[in-house]
Amino acid sequence: MKLKAGIYWGAGCGGCDVAVLDVHEKILLVAEKMDLLFWPIALDFKYDDVRAMDDGEFDIVLYNGAVRNSENEEIAHLLRQKSKVMVALGACAHLGGLIGMANFHTKEDLLKRVYVDSESTVNEEGTLPQEYWEEAGIPLELPRLYGTVKTLDQVVDVDYYIPGCPPVPEQIVNALVAVWDGNLPPKGSVIGAGSRTLCDECSRTKEEKEITEFKRTSEVITDPEKCLLEQGLLCLGPVTREGCGSRCINSNVPCRGCYGPLEGVPDQGIRMLSALASVLEPKEEEAIDELISQIPDPLRTLHRFSVAASILRRKKI
Amino acid sequence: MSVRIGVYLCHCGANIAGKVDIDAVADFARGLENVTLVKDYKFMCSDPGQALIQKDLENKLVDRVVVASCSPLMHENTFRKTVERGGLNPYLFTMTNIREQCSWVHIDSDRTTEKAKDLVAASVRRAFLLEPLTKKEVPINPRTLVIGGGIAGIQAALDLAEAGKEVVLVEKEPSIGGHMAKFDKTFPTLDCSACILTPRMVSVGQHSNIELMSYAEVEDVGGYVGNFNIRVRKKARYVDSELCNGCGACWSKCPSSRVPRKGNVHEKLSLGPTTSIYMPFMQAVPAIPVIDRDTCLYFKNDSGACGICAKECERGAIKYDMTDEIVEFEVGNIIIAAGFKTFDPAKVKRYGYGRFDNVMTALEFEVMNCASGSTGGNILMADGSEPKSIGIVHCVGSRDSHYNEHCSRVCCMYSLKYAHLIKEKTDAEVYQFYIDMRCFGKGYEEFYDRLLSEDVRFVRGKVAEISKVPVTETEEGKLVVSVEDTLLGTVRRIPLDMVVLSTGLEGSETLPEIAKLCSVSVGKDGFLIEKHPKLGPVSTATDGVFVVGGCQSPKDIPDTVAQASAASSAVLSMITREKIEIEAATSEVDEDKCSGCKLCNTLCPYQAVKFDEEKEVSVVNEALCKGCGTCVAGCPSGAISAKHYEDRQIFAEIEGIFSGGL
């Protein structure tokens, strides 16, 4: 019997959905083994159809995207109820992702930036989206935008995580194969990735580190054999789970951390900060300040994908 | 299985109970999750206090212990032992500091009590997550390394050797003896320095348990307490110590000189022969000369001209082709007795040292006073005449925020000694320019009293300037000391023939390097940091490494000798144990998680983290690890954890603080 599967996007960019398609000819294998009953980006299938299903009827649901409005959350609860296995797919569902960086701002600031202040916008009246509106007696309702972006597991119980922005397509297939083989790891595991950091699979040579300067990728032609961090590029490889196949690093681009921290590390960004602080070459306070000031936007650089899952979670309001 | 936590609150007399409402904290603690027993006592560290805990453990009333009292530095070990006696693993105990971090530092009693509650709540949460740890034992090598052959190192080495233990004494100069060997007399007894030091130096040279490596430097220290691996570089003397008998034929004919030939009396000051092949002083141990390569004609002329000393030496001991020798050996303990250096007064430009003749340092004045020195112990001006007036300027480079804030402790006393020697040897008038007279040791105040009646002029004030610009006729050709005499309340100009600068004591140039090798910290003042200023004055943060003498802080000979004996007895105590327990709360690497990024490799202040090239992971040597957590904080993948201070334990503590007892 075929597995019943669903794929949903919360607050995401659609990249994870594309990654599912990126499995190329293996999509045939997917089609052979499972019925995709629900996939809003690709199939016309309504929420009410899901509501009509039995509890636990989905064998597996892949939820990508973060939770940042009432619709994301409502469907997360619905799908949880209707599925046996709930998987957080991709960095947004796993850690809040890039979208989680909204937590460094207030909801009001964000709306003002997008709908009033942005360079390409003309909005002299300062009109902002409303959750509820009546026009000619017809009520119009939009999902409510939350002030804080959440990870999927901050809203519902999650069985497994497939990390990445986007996840490596083969890893998605592997996860599906694991479900139909009934070969699942302990609940709460990160699947489709390794248990060590990216440095373990990274083929560059590594020495004892002493950082003397930070550079941006545009400012340097890197040595393809040497550790990027040792070349002054802020590579998050040391704090990031392996499994992506070093896609960025092999292209001379430092790791941005999308696969998230290792098991037992509560805060990827702070962990990197702590590690960096340990290997700065200067020992005098002023020289340290000078070096640190070379890191562009350290808060967002270090927490690019993991703000919502970090210890602080958001800016203080 | 449920956890039963016992909370023991200490009043510390009124130290804690005077500020913290103990009953309120006890009631609060009773309401905390997993707490099954709360007791308080006047002094928990006392025998009856400890017995309380021990009995509860023996009666199996609790299986975790929280003691809320003073700093862990003070009594963590005390209570660990108590808990162990009660039959519980000592690491299932944790301490809450409600004294130094609470009752002593706050004013408002209610809020202090609230803080004490929060701290107890934090420790209770932590206690819940504690895990038993097992201490390991390592054997102790009975041999000891002593670094530095001044009076401190000599005393320590002799104490140990006399107790039948082997010692390797490494001295960087050609002879042991240190600063003390340069002194003529010692204060306040005025006994002859050489007379009391030389016999000990000879004993060191002859003792069968002491291996003396002079003209040598420690290059590497590896390993850990009980098992240090040492590498020493023995510098080439160009004289074979097996063959040389110290007859002196070599230097008596040496044509070149290591002191400036045309210099004045002060520039030519020297204790030993002034030739290029020389002994630093005649009582040197070992009595083997060395060749000063910089001035030796043989080495200066590539052609190898000269070679006179080799021709003069009947035993063929001169070996121009000698090279540095590296020796490696193992020891169980290390005593650092690396001594001090004196402040360079050229930094204080207004005192004219290096610009004016007859402004000299205390150490130069010592050498001049030495009967075996180049002036035969006569106090002379640079031109060889006898001075009619001498000023002694105190606190040069000491007690001065521009240079060193510390008091060098010995300058007041040696300045008094100089005044006495000048009075004894010359007819000169003597001025002492002092800020405060600090004569604190045994017989010191009496010596000051004695000097007060020896016609010495004491001027209380810090010298502003020493100049050679005469204003009056009497100042012509003199050094003029400008000083505010704070007792007279006036500024004075005092013309003098000669000025001695009582330079302060500083950590020696090589001290930071030695400190790094031995994993000992150097303080802001430039001296080595001991384990505890009061209770661990000769131990350091690194087990098996001890500090004594002038490298730990400025001190006089009696204190130095006392400290040296203290360190040697501490070492003996270690050796006698034969084995030592190693702290169990160390870091450990989860090899499954370590990615081999090497980020932690340079962080360890104790050199405990190394990279295993075969496994491609970093490893922690538990015997070296102090559990400081530096590598834990540095590890990006969370592969290193600190046993007894795991993340989850620390987070639990933080949550406890904010829990308000919920």
Side-chain angles (χ1 to χ4, degrees):
Chain A
M1 226 184 75
K2 284 189 174 184
L3 290 180
K4 290 181 180 173
I7 302 176
Y8 183 71
W9 58 343
C13 65
C16 292
D17 297 275
V18 174
V20 175
L21 294 171
D22 271 350
V23 300
H24 303 300
E25 68 279 5
K26 278 192 181 164
I27 195 80
L28 298 172
L29 181 73
V30 173
E32 179 195 318
K33 296 274 186 181
M34 57 178 64
D35 275 334
L36 267 168
L37 299 185
F38 180 60
W39 193 3
I41 200 172
L43 305 170
D44 185 14
F45 202 86
K46 306 296 186 210
Y47 290 158
D48 276 343
D49 299 328
V50 179
R51 289 192 184 96
M53 290 170 71
D54 293 337
D55 286 357
E57 194 175 332
F58 280 119
D59 292 297
I60 180 170
V61 165
L62 304 176
Y63 188 113
N64 72 76
V67 178
R68 79 176 310 190
N69 66 30
S70 52
E71 182 187 16
N72 301 154
E73 179 160 5
E74 185 189 336
I75 304 304
H77 285 294
L78 176 67
L79 289 170
R80 174 70 272 188
Q81 187 189 339
K82 303 294 178 191
S83 63
K84 291 193 186 75
V85 172
M86 181 85 156
V87 178
L89 175 70
C92 294
H94 177 205
L95 303 165
L98 290 170
I99 286 153
M101 281 196 279
N103 288 357
F104 287 130
H105 308 272
T106 62
K107 177 177 162 183
E108 291 68 31
D109 288 345
L110 287 172
L111 289 174
K112 189 160 173 289
R113 171 71 190 145
V114 173
Y115 292 96
V116 182
D117 294 342
S118 70
E119 290 72 8
S120 58
T121 303
V122 179
N123 180 0
E124 276 157 16
E125 294 86 38
T127 309
L128 294 177
Q130 304 295 309
E131 288 170 22
Y132 184 80
W133 190 255
E134 266 189 30
E135 191 70 47
I138 303 165
L140 294 167
E141 208 177 333
L142 278 177
R144 182 163 52 87
L145 183 68
Y146 292 167
T148 299
V149 176
K150 295 173 186 172
T151 64
L152 184 61
D153 64 3
Q154 286 166 6
V155 174
V156 297
D157 190 32
V158 171
D159 297 304
Y160 302 105
Y161 304 86
I162 301 178
C165 181
V168 177
E170 295 75 29
Q171 309 276 26
I172 302 174
V173 176
N174 291 345
L176 295 172
V177 169
V179 174
W180 74 60
D181 288 351
N183 182 23
L184 285 164
K187 184 179 151 100
S189 299
V190 169
I191 51 179
S195 63
R196 293 185 181 182
T197 67
L198 194 56
C199 297
D200 194 51
E201 70 174 34
C202 169
S203 60
R204 291 167 183 266
T205 56
K206 293 157 206 84
E207 302 296 332
E208 290 173 353
K209 293 174 181 44
E210 259 199 347
I211 297 177
T212 52
E213 60 178 331
F214 286 109
K215 293 179 216 136
R216 307 187 77 146
T217 38
S218 57
E219 294 168 345
V220 60
I221 293 173
T222 52
D223 179 339
E225 306 297 328
K226 263 180 73 181
C227 167
L228 290 168
L229 190 58
E230 287 163 25
Q231 298 182 61
L233 291 171
L234 191 46
C235 177
L236 263 59
V239 292
T240 304
R241 191 184 281 270
E242 65 183 344
C244 59
S246 308
R247 292 176 296 185
C248 300
I249 289 181
N250 291 341
S251 316
N252 287 329
V253 172
C255 171
R256 306 185 306 163
C258 71
Y259 264 57
L262 287 199
E263 189 74 43
V265 175
D267 192 313
Q268 189 184 14
I270 299 294
R271 177 59 74 175
M272 188 66 196
L273 190 66
S274 180
L276 275 182
S278 305
V279 290
L280 300 181
E281 192 269 333
K283 302 289 173 244
E284 306 297 322
E285 201 161 321
E286 278 174 21
I288 292 171
D289 283 348
E290 159 64 23
L291 180 57
I292 293 289
S293 69
Q294 294 171 6
I295 302 177
D297 196 354
L299 202 55
R300 287 169 187 78
T301 305
L302 300 178
H303 278 107
R304 196 188 299 263
F305 294 94
S306 64
V307 187
S310 71
I311 291 175
L312 296 176
R313 291 204 180 172
R314 64 157 301 114
K315 176 188 168 186
K316 197 176 163 198
I317 307 171
Chain B
M1 203 192 85
S2 70
V3 166
R4 289 163 296 149
I5 301 173
V7 177
Y8 297 86
L9 303 166
C10 178
H11 297 216
C12 196
N15 276 305
I16 296 171
K19 186 76 65 170
V20 172
D21 181 345
I22 296 284
D23 289 340
V25 179
D27 282 343
F28 168 85
R30 280 186 195 97
L32 294 171
E33 205 176 341
N34 301 310
V35 171
T36 54
L37 186 150
V38 178
K39 285 186 178 168
D40 63 279
Y41 191 70
K42 214 163 184 53
F43 290 102
M44 206 51 90
C45 62
S46 67
D47 281 353
Q50 291 188 52
L52 271 181
I53 302 172
Q54 197 179 327
K55 222 172 131 199
D56 290 344
L57 285 167
E58 282 162 1
N59 293 334
K60 309 281 179 207
L61 295 178
V62 294
D63 54 17
R64 296 278 196 287
V65 172
V66 173
V67 177
S69 55
C70 49
S71 142
L73 195 64
M74 193 87 183
H75 274 311
E76 186 173 58
N77 245 333
T78 312
F79 292 118
R80 273 190 185 170
K81 283 179 185 150
T82 312
V83 168
E84 211 166 4
R85 282 200 302 273
L88 190 69
N89 184 291
Y91 291 91
L92 295 177
F93 143 77
T94 190
M95 203 163 170
T96 313
N97 185 351
I98 57 167
R99 192 178 76 170
E100 285 88 340
Q101 291 175 0
C102 196
S103 67
W104 275 3
V105 289
H106 299 301
I107 293 165
D108 182 85
S109 179
D110 290 342
R111 292 176 65 196
T112 310
T113 301
E114 288 308 308
K115 179 169 173 183
K117 288 180 187 174
D118 289 342
L119 291 170
V120 169
S123 288
V124 166
R125 294 247 181 153
R126 168 176 167 74
F128 180 75
L129 294 173
L130 289 176
E131 283 180 12
L133 299 175
T134 317
K135 286 189 177 178
K136 290 201 176 89
E137 278 189 337
V138 293
I140 293 186
N141 185 323
R143 197 201 285 203
T144 304
L145 169 68
V146 177
I147 304 175
I151 183 59
I154 288 172
Q155 181 68 36
L158 284 174
D159 280 351
L160 289 166
E162 286 296 309
K165 305 299 174 194
E166 283 181 26
V167 178
V168 182
L169 177 61
V170 176
E171 165 59 49
K172 71 175 190 306
E173 300 294 330
S175 168
I176 57 168
H179 281 97
M180 192 175 167
K182 295 175 180 158
F183 303 162
D184 182 47
K185 296 274 195 300
T186 59
F187 61 77
T189 46
L190 297 173
D191 41 2
C192 156
S193 187
C195 309
I196 54 176
L197 179 65
T198 315
R200 296 199 174 208
M201 289 167 56
V202 173
S203 298
V204 168
Q206 294 176 345
H207 210 294
S208 57
N209 281 335
I210 300 179
E211 186 176 348
L212 174 58
M213 298 185 183
S214 61
Y215 211 42
E217 285 182 51
V218 176
E219 277 203 333
D220 192 39
V221 176
Y224 47 88
V225 56
N227 302 274
F228 291 109
N229 306 309
I230 311 295
R231 190 171 77 229
V232 169
R233 175 181 292 269
K234 288 168 126 175
K235 291 175 279 188
R237 302 180 91 101
Y238 307 107
V239 178
D240 188 329
S241 50
E242 298 293 320
L243 296 173
C244 173
N245 62 359
C247 70
C250 51
W251 69 71
S252 65
K253 291 283 162 60
C254 174
S256 63
S257 174
R258 69 195 165 91
V259 296
R261 279 235 177 100
K262 288 185 179 159
N264 63 36
V265 171
H266 292 171
E267 285 161 345
K268 282 160 73 173
L269 283 174
S270 166
L271 282 176
T274 56
T275 44
S276 291
I277 183 163
Y278 71 104
M279 289 214 292
F281 47 94
M282 296 315 291
Q283 304 82 2
V285 172
I288 315 263
V290 292
I291 292 179
D292 175 37
R293 265 189 85 119
D294 293 341
T295 55
C296 169
L297 288 178
Y298 180 90
F299 286 109
K300 274 169 84 177
N301 297 341
D302 292 336
S303 56
C306 193
I308 292 174
C309 50
K311 284 177 210 127
E312 289 297 321
C313 182
E314 287 175 6
R315 299 171 67 92
I318 310 291
K319 298 272 164 68
Y320 297 116
D321 57 354
M322 197 180 256
T323 51
D324 291 1
E325 186 191 346
I326 304 291
V327 281
E328 292 184 2
F329 53 93
E330 287 175 5
V331 297
N333 292 279
I334 299 171
I335 296 177
I336 305 177
F340 58 89
K341 75 174 188 326
T342 52
F343 174 75
D344 171 16
K347 289 181 193 163
V348 194
K349 294 238 168 7
R350 59 185 191 281
Y351 286 175
Y353 178 77
R355 286 189 291 136
F356 302 147
D357 284 347
N358 297 313
V359 176
M360 61 196 312
T361 67
L363 211 49
E364 289 165 347
F365 193 71
E366 288 283 3
V367 171
M368 186 154 74
N369 269 284
C370 212
S372 57
S374 50
T375 64
N378 290 316
I379 297 170
L380 300 174
M381 306 243 286
D383 62 7
S385 62
E386 193 173 279
K388 297 277 178 294
S389 54
I390 302 180
I392 300 169
V393 179
H394 290 224
C395 296
V396 178
S398 308
R399 303 183 71 197
D400 185 330
S401 56
H402 295 101
Y403 310 105
N404 293 307
E405 286 182 24
H406 63 257
C407 165
S408 295
R409 286 178 101 240
V410 294
C411 323
C412 282
M413 289 309 297
Y414 73 61
S415 297
L416 288 176
K417 176 184 78 179
Y418 292 167
H420 176 83
L421 293 176
I422 295 165
K423 283 290 171 189
E424 198 175 72
K425 294 182 182 181
T426 72
D427 295 325
E429 272 197 76
V430 182
Y431 283 84
Q432 298 266 1
F433 302 101
Y434 70 100
I435 308 177
D436 301 290
M437 289 305 299
R438 295 188 161 176
C439 310
F440 48 83
K442 187 173 183 176
Y444 290 8
E445 186 67 23
E446 294 89 326
F447 188 63
Y448 178 31
D449 269 347
R450 175 177 168 185
L451 264 287
L452 286 175
S453 60
E454 287 188 5
D455 194 24
V456 175
R457 314 209 168 176
F458 288 86
V459 178
R460 183 168 173 271
K462 192 168 166 73
V463 169
E465 187 189 30
I466 297 166
S467 70
K468 284 195 85 167
V469 184
V471 175
T472 62
E473 228 168 80
T474 50
E475 291 179 5
E476 288 288 348
K478 302 274 190 181
L479 294 162
V480 181
V481 170
S482 305
V483 60
E484 182 190 0
D485 187 326
T486 58
L487 295 179
L488 285 180
T490 184
V491 175
R492 297 173 67 179
R493 291 171 60 85
I494 300 172
L496 297 166
D497 287 339
M498 200 159 109
V499 175
V500 179
L501 303 176
S502 295
T503 42
L505 272 45
E506 295 178 330
S508 65
E509 291 96 342
T510 52
L511 202 52
E513 184 55 32
I514 294 171
K516 201 176 160 203
L517 287 175
C518 300
S519 300
V520 175
S521 304
V522 180
K524 201 170 70 142
D525 56 6
F527 296 99
L528 298 182
I529 299 178
E530 63 286 336
K531 188 169 192 174
H532 189 283
K534 297 177 186 70
L535 303 177
V538 295
S539 336
T540 66
T542 300
D543 289 339
V545 177
F546 300 85
V547 288
V548 298
C551 64
Q552 185 260 343
S553 74
K555 54 178 63 72
D556 53 21
I557 295 167
D559 284 4
T560 298
V561 171
Q563 231 188 9
S565 289
S568 53
S569 84
V571 168
L572 278 176
S573 150
M574 297 275 278
I575 297 172
T576 316
R577 280 178 245 173
E578 292 180 351
K579 283 178 185 158
I580 185 174
E581 276 191 339
I582 293 195
E583 176 57 55
T586 56
S587 292
E588 64 179 346
V589 177
D590 180 345
E591 292 183 3
D592 290 337
K593 272 191 181 178
C594 176
S595 64
C597 71
K598 291 191 178 174
L599 203 139
C600 59
N601 288 193
T602 49
L603 301 181
C604 180
Y606 307 99
Q607 277 90 47
V609 186
K610 290 271 163 351
F611 194 72
D612 184 332
E613 296 288 350
E614 209 166 286
K615 291 184 184 167
E616 296 192 324
V617 293
S618 293
V619 285
V620 173
N621 181 335
E622 287 191 352
L624 282 175
C625 176
K626 292 274 169 191
C628 71
T630 306
C631 60
V632 182
C635 176
S637 51
I640 312 184
S641 58
K643 285 188 267 183
H644 206 49
Y645 292 96
E646 293 169 22
D647 279 359
R648 60 194 191 106
Q649 293 165 343
I650 293 171
F651 281 120
E653 256 184 294
I654 296 171
E655 283 164 13
I657 287 205
F658 291 113
S659 68
L662 295 173

